[in-house]
Amino acid sequence: MIPMDEFAQVAFKRTRIMAVLLLGVVPVIYLAVGQLVEVVPHEVVPHEVVPHEGGESDLLFYILIFLALAQPALYPIIERVQISNFSKAVNRTMKPAQFAFTIALTKLAMVDAIYIFGLVVYFLSGDLSRMLMFYLPGLLWTAIYWPRESSFEELLKKLERP
């Protein structure tokens, strides 16, 4: 492999820093918020007429857990579209390393969304164990999409093709 130039090395280091922040520090902060914020479940007043009896948070949990498992798998499609658009651009203002950083941020944001799904479920249901269930697919996708120098160089090759 051709070694990365200095600009690409800086872009890769920035990608790694963002990965540590988005996929390491931020989920810990979400967990701390879940521990510190007490969510009081909605209470139904006996004399109120309620047309249906809850279940929305259960449905939301199942929808979001499915998204947490499936959403990052769509990333290769998004990456192909981004690379195609980049190669079609006639007057590019971004260097390939800058665009590779942007693509990597998209990937990291998709994985970070899984942890956010867990926090949303916690705020709606008050069940911390449900929030923690999102950490399993989050950790899986974090391991899969963690920025590696070899994959960054491979992405740069794709972007530098005419």
Side-chain angles (χ1 to χ4, degrees), residues 33-152:
V33 167
Q35 292 289 324
L36 296 173
V37 175
E38 183 181 341
V39 177
V40 179
H42 176 71
E43 295 179 22
V44 177
V45 180
H47 65 276
E48 285 185 22
V49 177
V50 181
H52 54 76
E53 190 174 317
E56 294 88 4
S57 63
D58 291 336
L59 181 62
L60 181 68
F61 168 75
Y62 293 118
I63 291 170
L64 289 179
I65 202 76
F66 172 76
L67 279 175
L69 293 168
Q71 171 197 355
L74 298 175
Y75 176 74
I77 297 168
I78 295 169
E79 182 180 293
R80 270 188 254 130
V81 170
Q82 287 179 318
I83 290 171
S84 172
N85 289 340
F86 181 77
S87 60
K88 287 178 186 174
V90 177
N91 54 353
R92 296 184 215 164
T93 57
M94 285 184 129
K95 293 182 179 182
Q98 288 173 310
F99 199 72
F101 175 73
T102 303
I103 290 174
L105 279 182
T106 303
K107 186 186 327 182
L108 297 175
M110 289 181 76
V111 176
D112 186 53
I114 296 169
Y115 299 107
I116 294 171
F117 293 163
L119 191 61
V120 167
V121 166
Y122 172 69
F123 283 141
L124 293 175
S125 69
D127 188 357
L128 189 63
S129 65
R130 283 189 171 192
M131 176 184 171
L132 293 175
M133 284 186 202
F134 284 89
Y135 278 65
L136 294 174
L139 290 171
L140 172 73
W141 288 114
T142 295
I144 291 171
Y145 285 138
W146 188 261
R148 292 171 185 74
E149 195 167 347
S150 60
S151 61
F152 196 80

Side-chain angles (χ1 to χ4, degrees), residues 13-30 101 105 108-109 111-112 115 142 146-147:
K13 286 178 185 174
R14 287 176 47 210
T15 302
R16 276 266 172 95
I17 291 169
M18 291 304 294
V20 168
L21 291 174
L22 284 173
L23 305 180
V25 175
V26 171
V28 171
I29 292 172
Y30 295 158
F101 175 73
L105 279 182
L108 297 175
V111 176
D112 186 53
Y115 299 107
T142 295
W146 188 261

